[in-house]
Amino acid sequence: MEKRILVINLKPELVQIERLKQMLPNWEVVADNDPDHLEHYLKEAEIILHWKKAIAPTILEENMRLKWIQTWSAGVNNLPLEALQARGVCVTSANGVHAYPISETIFALMLGFTRKIHTYVRQQQVKTWHHAHLSGEIHKKTIGIIGVGAIGKETAKIAKAFKMKVLGVRHSGNPADDVDQMFQPEQLDEMLPQCDYVVITLPLTTETTHMFAAPQFKRMKDSALLINIGRGPIIQEEDLIEALEQKEIAGVGLDVFATEPLPEDSPLWEMDNVIITPHTAGATEYYATRVIEDIFLPNLEHYIQGETPNKNLVNFEKGY
C-alpha cells in the first residue's frame, strides 16, 4: 500500500503541496478539508500535518500506520500524548514560531499598562480629556520571565533594549543570553518580590497547572503587572480576580484563559486593570511560512532518510 501524508485544515498553497509531492514521489499526498472524506484518509495516514481533537478516536482506534504528527501549535497539551507514546508515534510542535509576534504582544501589554494606553482608549470612547495620573515607564525596571524558551529569550533580548534587569525561571536553571539571573521553578517565590513585571510563557503541564495562585500574588509587588501568554490554567483565575480586587497586584494582561472563549459572566471583562486579548498573541502573517519552512520541511528531510524528526520533537515525559 502506498504511503500517505495527510494535511488537515490547511490551504494547499500554505503547505506547498507541489513541493511535498516532489519530495515524496512515491507517496500519496492528500490535503482535504472535507469532513466527509477525512475519516477515510485518517485511517491510513503515516504522517499528519496539523491536529484537532476530533480526529483522536480514529487515530487511536483505527490507524496502525501513523508514525509522525506535526502540530500547528506550540502547545501539545490537547493531544493524547500517553496513547501516542505507547504507539511509538513521534510528535513535533510549532514551538519557536511565536517568538516574534508573542514577544511583541508582551511589550504591547506592558507598555499599554505602563503608559496607560488602555485608560486613554476608554477615555476616547467617552470623549474625556484627562491625564489619568500617567507617570510610569519601563526603562530600568525588573522583568521576571517565567519560562525561558524561544519566546522568553526573545522577550529578554527586547527587555535589554529598555535597559531592564531580566530575571528568568527555567526548569534546568541554566543561564541564558540577556538573563541577568536564572532561577528554578522551586525558587519562584524568591524571585517574584523583585519583579515589576512578571511574564508567563510556560506550556501547560501537571507541574505548571495553577503555578500562580493566591500565595504567588501575595509575594508580588502591589505595583507589579502580570502578563500571561502561556496557557490559562497556569493561573488560578479565582485567586487572580481576588488579588486584583484587593489590589495585591496592579494589573494583568491575559491572552489565555482557563475556559476559552472567556465566559461573558467573568469579572475579568469589567475590570479597569485588566487587558484581554482573545488568544491571538501568536497571530502573524508569517505563521504558515515558519511552520513549514523552518520546522516541517527540515524534519521531513530527516524522516525520508529514515531518521527521527528532531526539530521541536516533543518530550513525552515533560509534556512539551
Side-chain angles (χ1 to χ4, degrees):
M1 181 179 290
E2 194 174 32
K3 291 175 177 286
R4 176 182 296 160
I5 178 171
L6 176 61
V7 180
I8 300 173
N9 278 11
L10 298 171
K11 295 178 180 179
E13 58 269 25
L14 288 180
V15 294
Q16 306 178 33
I17 290 297
E18 291 307 315
R19 185 170 174 184
L20 291 182
K21 289 179 178 179
Q22 292 174 2
M23 293 178 67
L24 303 167
N26 300 316
W27 285 55
E28 180 185 15
V29 180
V30 178
D32 196 319
N33 297 328
D34 188 334
D36 294 333
H37 301 163
L38 193 57
E39 186 142 346
H40 166 73
Y41 291 127
L42 280 171
K43 292 177 183 178
E44 302 294 339
E46 183 170 324
I47 300 173
I48 294 177
L49 173 56
H50 210 316
W51 175 265
K52 59 180 184 177
K53 283 185 177 181
I55 73 173
T58 302
I59 289 298
L60 298 178
E61 296 169 16
E62 302 185 58
N63 184 322
M64 295 295 109
R65 298 167 63 91
L66 184 65
K67 299 297 183 184
W68 171 29
I69 296 170
Q70 169 67 56
T71 71
W72 204 247
S73 63
V76 294
N77 54 286
N78 64 336
L79 275 72
L81 295 181
E82 289 186 10
L84 293 172
Q85 181 183 21
R87 289 268 304 278
V89 177
C90 71
V91 177
T92 53
S93 74
N95 186 39
V97 169
H98 308 85
Y100 287 174
I102 290 185
S103 60
E104 289 180 10
T105 297
I106 287 167
F107 279 91
L109 292 167
M110 289 169 56
L111 288 164
F113 275 119
T114 302
R115 301 305 298 168
K116 291 191 177 289
I117 304 302
H118 66 310
T119 300
Y120 294 148
V121 169
R122 291 187 179 104
Q123 291 182 178
Q124 179 179 344
Q125 292 170 341
V126 293
K127 301 178 182 178
T128 296
W129 182 278
H130 189 267
H131 186 273
H133 310 294
L134 176 64
S135 63
E137 60 178 61
I138 283 181
H139 280 77
K140 298 186 178 180
K141 295 291 174 56
T142 298
I143 181 173
I145 302 171
I146 318 302
V148 187
I151 297 167
K153 289 176 182 177
E154 187 65 23
T155 302
K157 179 180 177 182
I158 297 170
K160 283 303 175 184
F162 288 97
K163 297 180 171 59
M164 301 183 81
K165 180 178 180 181
V166 180
L167 308 180
V169 173
R170 68 185 340 180
H171 195 270
S172 67
N174 293 333
D177 290 345
D178 302 309
V179 177
D180 297 298
Q181 185 177 358
M182 192 71 75
F183 297 79
Q184 291 182 289
E186 58 268 23
Q187 298 173 296
L188 176 64
D189 287 355
E190 175 187 341
M191 190 196 78
L192 288 176
Q194 304 178 50
C195 300
D196 301 296
Y197 302 88
V198 176
V199 178
I200 301 171
T201 67
L202 294 166
L204 182 64
T205 67
T206 54
E207 292 181 357
T208 64
T209 299
H210 289 177
M211 187 175 185
F212 276 75
Q216 286 67 49
F217 300 131
K218 293 181 189 305
R219 296 287 294 169
M220 292 171 64
K221 296 179 180 181
D222 59 11
S223 59
L225 295 167
L226 175 66
I227 309 293
N228 187 15
I229 55 76
R231 284 293 183 267
I234 294 172
I235 292 178
Q236 218 295 344
E237 276 183 15
E238 291 79 6
D239 289 358
L240 172 63
I241 291 167
E242 183 174 352
L244 290 166
E245 290 174 341
Q246 299 299 319
K247 301 189 184 305
E248 291 177 347
I249 62 175
V252 61
L254 299 171
D255 186 59
V256 289
F257 303 87
T259 300
E260 296 181 2
L262 181 65
E264 291 184 10
D265 61 356
S266 171
L268 292 168
W269 286 112
E270 307 295 332
M271 291 181 161
D272 290 341
N273 54 350
V274 176
I275 297 178
I276 290 170
T277 54
H279 205 145
T280 53
T284 169
E285 61 194 296
Y286 304 112
Y287 198 100
T289 300
R290 289 173 181 155
V291 175
I292 299 302
E293 294 284 349
D294 297 345
I295 302 170
F296 180 65
L297 291 180
N299 274 337
L300 184 60
E301 290 280 4
H302 282 280
Y303 188 86
I304 59 181
Q305 293 171 18
E307 302 170 8
T308 299
N310 59 14
K311 192 160 190 178
N312 289 359
L313 183 64
V314 171
N315 183 318
F316 287 109
E317 303 305 321
K318 293 182 178 179
Y320 59 89

